[in-house]
Amino acid sequence: MAAHCQVTGVGPQYGYNVSHSHRRTKRRFDPNIQKKRYWVPSLGRHVTLNLSVKGIKTIDARGIDTVVAELIQKGEKV
């Protein structure tokens, strides 16, 4: 599963693990991606999306119809 949110676009970030002696090694901060299935009344079918938790909250606030309409307008496959 891709580590990118389809709504917010958030992806992995990179940084360092810093030890007690301040030695630095590269690491990766992955977003909390969840696979969610929503019923979209305007399309008349279920849609499965890869979402971060912030993306789920965005859908709760704005509604699935408006978010899916914006995704389709951007050219994202839904």
Side-chain angles (χ1 to χ4, degrees), residues 19-67:
S19 70
H20 181 70
S21 64
H22 265 345
R23 292 177 67 105
R24 293 187 166 113
T25 55
K26 291 291 262 180
R27 63 159 292 182
R28 179 174 148 152
F29 295 92
D30 285 324
N32 187 7
I33 298 295
Q34 308 290 322
K35 190 174 261 191
K36 291 281 288 181
R37 186 171 178 248
Y38 289 99
W39 171 255
V40 183
S42 61
L43 298 177
R45 65 183 175 96
H46 284 95
V47 170
T48 302
L49 299 171
N50 290 327
L51 300 170
S52 64
V53 176
K54 187 174 181 180
I56 293 171
K57 290 178 182 179
T58 301
I59 289 174
D60 289 343
R62 296 174 51 208
I64 187 67
D65 282 327
T66 58
V67 172

Side-chain angles (χ1 to χ4, degrees), residues 64-76:
I64 187 67
D65 282 327
T66 58
V67 172
V68 167
E70 289 177 4
L71 288 175
I72 291 170
Q73 187 178 19
K74 281 196 279 187
E76 183 101 17

Side-chain angles (χ1 to χ4, degrees), residues 6-17:
Q6 289 181 282
V7 174
T8 61
V10 70
Q13 296 180 343
Y14 297 91
Y16 291 99
N17 281 327

